Amino acid sequence: MSPNLHIAFRFLTAKKRAMLMSLSCIILGVGLFIVTQAATTGFEGFFIRTILGTDGAMRIQDKLQATQGSMAAGGYNSGFEIEQKENLKYIEGIEEPGRLLAALSEFENVSGASAVLRGSVVIRSSFQNQSIQVFGIDLAAHVKVSDLGNQIVDGSLTSFRDSPSGAILGREMANRLHLNVDDSFQLEALGQVRRYRVSAIYETGVSDIDRLRLYLNMIEARSLLKEPIKATFLQINLANKDRAPEDAAHMQQVLGYSAEPWQQREKSWLSAFSALRITSGITVSVFTLIAGLAMFNTLAMIVLEKTKDIAILRSMGYERADITRIFLWQAGIVLVIGIVIGGAFGAGASYAISRVPLPHGGITGIFATKYFIVDLRYWHIVQAAITAIFTVMIASLVPARRAARLEPGDIVRGTAL
Amino acid sequence: MSAVVSSVVPSGEKLALRCTGLHRYLGQGEGRVHVLRGVSFEAQPGQVYAIVGPSGCGKSTLLYLLGLLDQPDAGEIAIDGQLMSNSEDSVRTAARGLHIGFVFQFHFLMLEFSALENVMMPMRKLGKLSPAAMAERAHGLLASVGLGEKTHRLGTQLSGGEQQRVAVARALANQPAIILADEPTGNLDVKNSAMVFDLLTRLAKENGQAVILVTHNPEIANRCDLVRPMRDGLFV
């Protein structure tokens, strides 16, 4: 052990009570920072999994058609032209979904693609009528680009696949219309009314989907919506979902269709989660700030009490830098202990709250969960540690430098401070 | 037997310490006092010097200047032939660790540390010896001041006389060429005063160290090799 560290340790143990205050705040600051970051990351991750499981990693829709880039404003050859901001026109829908699906299979990162035909209809049950959205899908393709297989809470996909008049309803929709598996209902679209049967009920946890989205087999949907060829959009799954923006840009260029990655589609929610994570991090950093202030106070007190010891050390040949280090070591020792215990506390508390049931039966709306979701990452601990180190060391620097500036002659003479 | 002298340096003799024309002001504004008014002093190895004089005459101020704990407003201080008075703080700090041992009036032990750790403290900074050799030397020094059985006691568990003996051992730890003692017996009873002084002078003589002590005690002063009386910031 270096002499400076040895001295720091002894000074520290002589001030246990005062240091305990700083230590407690560091433990709380680090621990709560980890818990809040793990929880927000957990909920954000769960939200992303949910939206990827329902709407996929990417959607291709609307053909892009180039238009003129500028317009002559003062007549032909006037030399005065107005530049168009965006030289593109969007044509709704996918005209040749089969060819596009074949082209998509050439993209390395694409792990699945499903054509979807969407249309507005009115659903009629014996209980009430409601406007909803029909999604015509090819089940085999769609389960590769969504988590529909795992979202079924009643009935079965096999029943849906084998029955042309079968339909999959969202949980909220089924509840509102008082429909159960095997119940029949009617869909009204484009002046026709057809009868269908509930094959399965799904639940994504996303209220807008569970309330409004009904799946039909593609052939039946084409017939109902009178759309024999086109698809509304292609839902795509990617092996590496983080690469979606780059792949979307590439596809847009190659295929001539607009491609929207999930990061852009869910931008507002992702921004909200990000803001929540930062806000909660800043809020719990107050504990770390208090730890810094407590450390400043304690070290300032030690400097006052140890002026003679500082003079002795300086008279023995200890340099100003040694004195600074002695005080910074004290902060460092408390920090290390605080970060280790705080890290363990944070990890333990994160695990504990993941076992705590959420009030009112859980959360639904943007996803469905009955428990707190935590996702503890090593960088949560690193971030918490960096925050604590930054705050406490900055706070410790002032008394440490003050101690180093003391003149031994003034101390011995009794005129220091 | 002591002798009051005005000049103590035979020409050609190697000096442990030399200062010339030291001036020092303390305080600020109207309270500014000219404490030292051109003091010159020389110390030879193996000699014990007593600086005596009334309170406020500048004895301790001179001692802190000689120990490089303070800087003069004018004049020069040379230790082991090297000019130190105007050198940088790091140079003066290194010189303190290497050449100078201090004994203060109120022992100034570090109370959270044992006697052994206190004595080892200067050695650990200097870093010339291995930890085992440091401990062995510290044990030896404590034994030589009669505290061989109390090496692991904390400062708070030692009497005033014992604490001052630990301070003497600590001052000798790095075998400095100069021992500076500011009223080393000022806080002790007669028996302990005599013991501490004997120890200091005996060990210094054995090692050929120059001892400069400030004292009000005439008995102690009379037992030094040379006595330098001071008055109003000057040797008289």
Side-chain angles (χ1 to χ4, degrees), chain B:
Chain B
M1 188 62 65
S2 66
V4 177
V5 291
S6 56
S7 173
V8 294
V9 188
S11 59
E13 196 85 38
K14 192 190 174 193
L15 294 172
L17 180 149
R18 179 180 57 81
C19 70
T20 48
L22 287 185
H23 285 265
R24 182 72 174 115
Y25 295 85
L26 291 177
Q28 287 178 333
E30 288 181 3
R32 191 169 161 86
V33 181
H34 196 175
V35 180
L36 295 180
R37 300 163 181 268
V39 175
S40 298
F41 180 79
E42 290 169 341
Q44 281 181 287
Q47 295 286 304
V48 180
Y49 300 84
I51 300 173
V52 296
S55 293
C57 71
K59 306 184 296 291
S60 295
T61 302
L62 174 62
L63 203 72
Y64 302 148
L65 286 177
L66 298 179
L68 309 178
L69 290 175
D70 197 4
Q71 281 188 289
D73 294 305
E76 289 184 348
I77 301 166
I79 289 173
D80 199 25
Q82 289 193 313
L83 194 62
M84 292 286 173
S85 40
N86 296 316
S87 53
E88 287 180 7
D89 183 72
S90 57
V91 176
R92 289 186 292 123
T93 304
R96 279 200 298 270
L98 196 61
H99 300 297
I100 303 168
F102 287 93
V103 182
F104 298 102
Q105 182 177 359
F106 295 102
H107 64 76
F108 277 19
L109 288 190
M110 294 175 74
L111 299 176
E112 291 86 6
F113 294 84
S114 69
L116 189 74
E117 288 168 331
N118 266 286
V119 177
M120 285 174 71
M121 204 74 81
M123 292 190 259
R124 295 189 71 179
K125 176 57 194 168
L126 198 61
K128 279 188 174 173
L129 301 175
S130 67
M134 286 181 206
E136 191 185 339
R137 177 164 171 73
H139 273 291
L141 284 167
L142 285 169
S144 67
V145 297
L147 293 171
E149 301 298 314
K150 297 180 177 179
T151 55
H152 290 287
R153 286 204 185 174
L154 294 177
T156 46
Q157 295 166 333
L158 297 168
S159 69
E162 288 170 337
Q163 287 175 343
Q164 197 62 309
R165 281 188 275 155
V166 175
V168 170
R170 185 180 64 189
L172 297 166
N174 283 340
Q175 293 182 288
I178 305 150
I179 307 285
L180 300 174
D182 187 11
E183 305 258 19
T185 61
N187 207 32
L188 302 176
D189 58 27
V190 176
K191 186 181 161 193
N192 273 308
S193 291
M195 186 190 285
V196 167
F197 178 76
D198 288 344
L199 274 171
L200 193 60
T201 51
R202 179 172 59 81
L203 294 171
K205 290 270 182 192
E206 283 172 10
N207 296 307
Q209 290 155 322
V211 179
I212 303 162
L213 61 88
V214 164
T215 183
H216 278 112
N217 186 334
E219 286 179 26
I220 295 286
N222 285 335
R223 292 176 62 193
C224 294
D225 297 321
L226 298 159
V227 180
R228 301 296 309 270
M230 271 187 88
R231 180 164 298 177
D232 297 331
L234 282 168
F235 282 124
V236 290

Side-chain angles (χ1 to χ4, degrees), chain A residues 37-189:
Chain A
Q37 296 306 293
T40 47
T41 305
F43 279 115
E44 184 184 25
F46 190 69
F47 169 74
I48 290 169
R49 283 196 300 279
T50 301
I51 56 108
L52 288 175
T54 52
D55 289 337
M58 196 190 298
R59 267 188 187 181
I60 288 185
Q61 57 190 359
D62 303 339
K63 190 168 188 177
L64 299 173
Q65 198 173 63
T67 60
Q68 59 185 17
S70 62
M71 189 170 68
Y76 182 69
N77 273 347
S78 68
F80 183 67
E81 291 192 338
I82 298 169
E83 289 284 330
Q84 302 268 68
K85 256 189 174 179
E86 198 175 359
N87 311 330
L88 291 171
K89 183 179 169 188
Y90 292 86
I91 298 170
E92 203 174 297
I94 312 288
E95 287 175 344
E96 294 174 299
R99 284 183 65 184
L100 212 53
L101 286 171
L104 281 169
S105 65
E106 299 297 318
F107 284 84
E108 183 194 358
N109 197 29
V110 173
S111 62
S114 168
V116 177
L117 179 64
R118 184 181 56 201
S120 296
V121 299
V122 173
I123 186 168
R124 293 176 177 176
S125 73
S126 55
F127 188 71
Q128 66 168 294
N129 301 343
Q130 186 187 329
S131 291
I132 58 158
Q133 295 268 307
V134 158
F135 278 56
I137 56 169
D138 171 4
L139 184 63
H142 205 74
V143 291
K144 289 182 182 171
V145 299
S146 71
D147 206 19
L148 188 60
N150 295 320
Q151 289 163 350
I152 300 299
V153 291
D154 201 1
S156 76
L157 287 181
T158 316
S159 165
F160 171 73
R161 188 188 59 206
D162 297 341
S163 166
S165 63
I168 306 172
L169 279 68
R171 163 74 88 187
E172 279 191 50
M173 186 192 297
N175 287 348
R176 280 183 178 209
L177 297 165
H178 289 207
L179 290 173
N180 293 308
V181 172
D182 289 333
D183 287 352
S184 67
F185 60 91
Q186 289 178 325
L187 291 181
E188 182 188 339

Side-chain angles (χ1 to χ4, degrees), chain A residues 107-407:
Chain A
F107 284 84
E108 183 194 358
N109 197 29
V110 173
S111 62
S114 168
V116 177
L117 179 64
R118 184 181 56 201
S120 296
V121 299
V122 173
I123 186 168
R124 293 176 177 176
S125 73
S126 55
F127 188 71
Q128 66 168 294
N129 301 343
Q130 186 187 329
S131 291
I132 58 158
Q133 295 268 307
V134 158
F135 278 56
I137 56 169
D138 171 4
L139 184 63
H142 205 74
V143 291
K144 289 182 182 171
V145 299
S146 71
D147 206 19
L148 188 60
N150 295 320
Q151 289 163 350
I152 300 299
V153 291
D154 201 1
S156 76
L157 287 181
T158 316
S159 165
F160 171 73
R161 188 188 59 206
D162 297 341
S163 166
S165 63
I168 306 172
L169 279 68
R171 163 74 88 187
E172 279 191 50
M173 186 192 297
N175 287 348
R176 280 183 178 209
L177 297 165
H178 289 207
L179 290 173
N180 293 308
V181 172
D182 289 333
D183 287 352
S184 67
F185 60 91
Q186 289 178 325
L187 291 181
E188 182 188 339
L190 305 173
Q192 51 183 330
V193 178
R194 294 189 185 185
R195 182 164 292 278
Y196 295 92
R197 191 179 56 81
V198 180
S199 299
I201 293 171
Y202 71 86
E203 183 175 19
T204 63
V206 184
S207 190
D208 284 347
I209 294 174
D210 294 349
R211 186 163 45 89
L212 295 173
R213 189 177 295 183
L214 178 147
Y215 291 103
L216 287 180
N217 284 301
M218 181 61 103
I219 295 169
E220 186 56 36
R222 288 196 183 287
S223 170
L224 179 69
L225 299 172
K226 296 182 178 170
E227 182 51 74
I229 300 166
K230 283 176 75 173
T232 312
F233 61 85
L234 301 185
Q235 186 162 317
I236 295 164
N237 199 9
L238 299 174
N240 180 359
K241 291 165 180 67
D242 294 334
R243 255 181 53 189
E246 292 86 346
D247 285 333
H250 188 202
M251 285 174 192
Q252 196 160 301
Q253 196 177 25
V254 172
L255 304 174
Y257 277 86
S258 74
E260 191 179 36
W262 63 272
Q263 292 95 331
Q264 192 179 328
R265 191 179 66 219
E266 309 296 342
K267 197 175 174 183
S268 52
W269 276 113
L270 293 174
S271 300
F273 275 111
S274 179
L276 188 65
R277 190 168 56 236
I278 292 166
T279 310
S280 60
I282 290 170
T283 307
V284 296
S285 292
V286 168
F287 283 102
T288 316
L289 194 67
I290 294 169
L293 291 173
M295 183 63 77
F296 171 86
N297 194 39
T298 308
L299 288 184
M301 224 157 48
I302 295 177
V303 171
L304 283 174
E305 287 178 12
K306 298 291 180 188
T307 49
K308 284 184 179 173
D309 289 22
I310 292 167
I312 296 165
L313 291 168
R314 296 280 285 128
S315 75
M316 290 175 193
Y318 282 76
E319 295 161 25
R320 289 186 199 279
D322 290 317
I323 304 299
T324 303
R325 283 188 204 115
I326 286 168
F327 283 89
L328 290 182
W329 266 123
Q330 292 177 64
I333 292 166
V334 176
L335 258 176
V336 169
I337 297 169
I339 288 168
V340 169
I341 299 176
F345 162 64
S350 297
Y351 175 77
I353 67 162
S354 71
R355 303 281 155 192
V356 176
L358 285 161
H360 313 298
I363 296 173
T364 55
I366 56 167
F367 47 65
T369 176
K370 290 178 179 168
Y371 291 90
F372 271 99
I373 298 164
V374 295
D375 182 6
L376 183 61
R377 306 277 177 89
Y378 77 92
W379 54 263
H380 294 145
I381 299 170
V382 172
Q383 276 181 330
I386 288 171
T387 309
I389 290 168
F390 181 77
T391 314
V392 173
M393 292 315 275
I394 291 285
S396 308
L397 207 56
V398 178
R401 288 174 68 97
R402 188 178 180 184
R405 276 202 304 271
L406 288 172
E407 287 295 340

